Amino acid sequence: MSVHSDIRKVTTHVLQEMKRKNQKIAMLTAYDYSNAKIIDDTGIDIILVGDSASNVMAGYDSTLPITLDNMIYHAASVVRGVKRALVVVDLPFGTYQSNSKLALSSAIKIMKKTGAGAIKIEGGLEVKDSIKRILTAGIPVMGHLGLTPQSIHKFGTYVVRAQEEEEAAKLIADAHLLEDLGCFAIVLEKVPATLATQVAQEVKIPIIGIGAGNVDGQVLVLHDMLGITQEFSPRFLRRYANLDDIITKAVVQYIDDVKSEDFPNESEQY
Ligand code: KIV
């Protein structure tokens, strides 16, 4: 099943055009070949190999522990399953903040070893030099502002960001800076919808929201929207399936069938 089958390959240029034509952009995360293949076939526009892999794939309680090599493994697996969507890969914590040379080297490693189409970086002014240097190497950069999970220890909480005037003003300034530097899109996470709308109206590049109201596009973590994760239930999350329940029922049935010798039956053996 495919929507938007008229677009053969989503590029950063296609995304700019979608914003210009007021067509909404749909983005989801994926971390492995099989899921990436399924969601690419649906006609999703962007697949993000998010550092949320640290939580949903590796079981850590934050995105900080995941390494560049871990991200490269996930991203290369995803790229092998994708024909149409733009694949964007998160630069993980510690691989771009300290200096722009390290940032460029991390971004090049990802692009060379995975075949992805772009990278994503959290932050604004603080990481300006890193973004600039990566862009000069011809690597497309997606920004990420608002609740940036790699800074969770600075925030101390997962509450909505930029509710106060000072933080909102910095966020607006950062969004303009990212656009001026040449980022092709920005993820805005968990900020008031009015602020996100203002940013989306002020910049020409697409604003992809997660808990940021109705902007140019939306992103969700695949495991959250499919109901594989159950412990995470923020207000912005819409669950489209309850795979936890489906998987549990299937596995319980399998155990029953094995124990009762119902499986394998005559036609399931050689
Ligand atoms: O890592 C991730 O999954 C993300 C999305 C939540 C935007 O950055």
Side-chain angles (χ1 to χ4, degrees):
M1 186 178 59
S2 172
V3 287
H4 299 309
S5 52
D6 48 321
I7 299 167
R8 282 183 49 224
K9 178 72 195 163
V10 180
T11 61
T12 57
H13 176 72
V14 167
L15 298 171
Q16 313 296 314
E17 281 299 289
M18 287 176 77
K19 168 142 183 169
R20 205 179 54 75
K21 294 180 187 159
N22 202 16
Q23 295 170 347
K24 298 291 178 183
I25 297 165
M27 167 166 153
L28 279 175
T29 66
Y31 318 97
D32 68 288
Y33 167 82
S34 303
N35 280 310
K37 192 167 184 309
I38 292 170
I39 64 174
D40 186 53
D41 283 346
T42 64
I44 196 87
D45 300 306
I46 307 174
I47 295 181
L48 171 67
V49 186
D51 58 359
S52 49
S54 184
N55 306 90
V56 299
M57 299 302 288
Y60 291 113
D61 64 1
S62 81
T63 58
L64 274 65
I66 200 159
T67 65
L68 188 58
D69 283 343
N70 294 156
M71 291 302 295
I72 287 170
Y73 169 79
H74 287 299
S77 309
V78 165
V79 167
R80 285 192 285 273
V82 171
K83 290 196 182 84
R84 180 186 175 276
L86 176 69
V87 177
V88 181
V89 184
D90 265 334
L91 278 193
F93 179 67
T95 66
Y96 62 94
Q97 293 94 339
S98 57
N99 65 69
S100 62
K101 214 169 156 185
L102 174 69
L104 178 60
S105 139
S106 306
I108 287 178
K109 254 191 200 156
I110 288 184
M111 299 299 282
K112 254 189 190 304
K113 294 190 173 183
T114 72
I119 58 104
K120 175 162 83 60
I121 283 191
E122 294 184 6
L125 186 60
E126 320 70 43
V127 289
K128 174 182 166 192
D129 291 342
S130 294
I131 292 176
K132 238 172 139 172
R133 197 152 185 170
I134 293 169
L135 284 165
T136 55
I139 300 171
V141 176
M142 174 181 269
H144 186 159
L145 300 172
L147 180 75
T148 44
Q150 291 177 17
S151 300
I152 190 57
H153 294 300
K154 180 180 82 178
F155 299 142
T157 163
Y158 283 97
V159 296
V160 179
R161 301 309 312 172
Q163 300 190 77
E164 306 299 329
E165 215 175 304
E166 196 182 335
E167 196 176 330
K170 176 174 169 9
L171 188 144
I172 294 169
D174 278 342
H176 283 286
L177 173 70
L178 295 183
E179 175 174 46
D180 293 345
L181 288 173
C183 290
F184 70 90
I186 301 171
V187 166
L188 264 193
E189 180 162 353
K190 225 172 172 184
V191 299
T194 46
L195 174 64
T197 303
Q198 183 188 340
V199 172
Q201 282 167 354
E202 286 188 16
V203 301
K204 287 201 175 62
I205 56 175
I207 300 297
I208 316 278
I210 173 163
N214 183 9
V215 280
D216 303 316
Q218 298 295 321
V219 56
L220 285 175
V221 167
L222 185 68
H223 291 56
D224 297 336
M225 63 88 78
L226 292 179
I228 295 174
T229 51
Q230 291 289 320
E231 62 279 9
F232 182 67
S233 260
R235 173 182 176 148
F236 66 75
L237 174 61
R238 186 179 291 183
R239 282 194 213 287
Y240 288 84
N242 190 351
L243 288 200
D244 176 294
D245 194 43
I246 291 172
I247 293 169
T248 302
K249 283 188 178 130
V251 174
V252 166
Q253 183 67 57
Y254 167 73
I255 295 170
D256 260 12
D257 291 352
V258 170
K259 306 264 181 200
S260 67
E261 297 180 51
D262 178 80
F263 176 77
N265 64 25
E266 287 293 317
S267 67
E268 290 163 331
Q269 49 190 288
Y270 301 98

